[in-house]
Amino acid sequence: MKFFITLVALAAIVRGACVSDPGGATECRAFDTSLSVMDRMGQAEKLFNLNEPITFELLIANTLNEPATLTAGSSCTAVVFEVSDSTRRRVWGSADNIACIQMLQPRTFAALETVRESDTWDQRDSDGAFVPAGSYSVTASVGQYATGNGSLLDCRAELGKSATFRVQ
């Protein structure tokens, strides 16, 4: 019974930490994201030639009329892009082969500021071999929102985006 009461109290605390305005929106909604998959000319595409560079771009926008802080989920990069094949096997990640230390990287966005994070994939897997033709998906992950009281709220699920594309 004591465990159940503790669990209910913890759930109430977590729920309370997620609410930032009287309307009940979660604090992660202080940010909005959009993901684009682009060719080497910067045009949004869904179909690419084999071995053609593919650029992934995530726009992160502070939707508030006041500064807001987002803490990177990785100490290497503000955004991590990961590519998976049609069997959902991870084939590449933008943070692959980068030595990182475990530390938080907060970034404060000005009111209504939008930041562009991007990386280019050369269609090689994590071992350096070219991937075969097929369907792929990219997922962009961002980190945690720093709330007004200094705690961190995990926003990866809410702000992360995915897109599919084909290599032929």
Side-chain angles (χ1 to χ4, degrees), residues 33-101:
T33 55
S34 63
L35 176 63
S36 298
V37 181
M38 298 178 297
D39 64 15
R40 65 179 152 243
M41 303 300 289
Q43 303 297 314
E45 290 291 337
K46 295 280 186 186
L47 185 62
F48 298 89
N49 294 319
L50 275 172
N51 308 333
E52 176 183 0
I54 301 173
T55 298
F56 309 117
E57 178 181 270
L58 187 73
L59 297 179
I60 307 167
N62 175 4
T63 62
L64 302 177
N65 286 322
E66 61 189 45
T69 301
L70 194 61
T71 300
S74 164
S75 62
C76 297
T77 60
V79 174
V80 175
F81 297 97
E82 292 187 325
V83 175
S84 299
D85 64 17
S86 60
T87 66
R88 296 185 182 210
R89 183 180 63 90
R90 183 185 176 283
V91 296
W92 175 84
S94 59
D96 288 356
N97 303 317
I98 299 175
C100 305
I101 56 173

